[in-house]
Amino acid sequence: QVQVVESGGGSVQAGGSLRLSCVASMSIFNINYMGWYRQAPGKQRDFVVGITSGGLTNYADSVKGRFTISRDNVKNTLNLEMNNLKPEDTAVYYCAATLTGVATTWGQGTQVTVSS
């Protein structure tokens, strides 16, 4: 089963940028789906962006035009570039990885805090 570890969270002011990374324990070529989700205090975990092994991406409307997902196949890393951050982007961000026929694996999460 794949393992994933996130990094790159932090605190920024509104309008700032952060880059999150998610390192997988196997070649991301062989992971059918990877994505980023986030959970704000007292709220459910929400979808942010996903990418298939074929490179197809899907973004939540709330982050379109501001967030960009990318893969580094050499480093087995999934990246999330977040620009023009807003206070409502404050949440714990989780990386998810899904293999065919296997339950989704979640990372431990990384905190992103955006102040106004």
Side-chain angles (χ1 to χ4, degrees), residues 57-73:
T57 59
N58 185 34
Y59 290 85
D61 288 342
S62 59
V63 306
K64 282 181 180 177
R66 301 188 299 121
F67 290 13
T68 303
I69 193 171
S70 64
R71 295 180 300 185
D72 184 330
N73 298 326

Side-chain angles (χ1 to χ4, degrees), residues 38-46 87-92 94:
R38 65 187 181 187
Q39 188 167 18
K43 295 187 177 181
Q44 67 181 18
R45 189 171 299 186
D46 290 331
E88 52 264 42
D89 294 319
T90 295
V92 177
Y94 296 91

Side-chain angles (χ1 to χ4, degrees), residues 7-70:
S7 62
S11 297
V12 295
Q13 290 190 328
S17 299
L18 282 174
R19 188 184 196 209
L20 306 184
S21 294
C22 170
V23 179
S25 60
M26 62 184 287
S27 171
I28 59 176
F29 274 124
N30 297 322
I31 300 175
N32 299 93
Y33 171 87
M34 296 188 75
W36 289 97
Y37 294 73
R38 65 187 181 187
Q39 188 167 18
K43 295 187 177 181
Q44 67 181 18
R45 189 171 299 186
D46 290 331
F47 168 79
V48 177
V49 58
I51 185 168
T52 68
S53 57
L56 295 176
T57 59
N58 185 34
Y59 290 85
D61 288 342
S62 59
V63 306
K64 282 181 180 177
R66 301 188 299 121
F67 290 13
T68 303
I69 193 171
S70 64

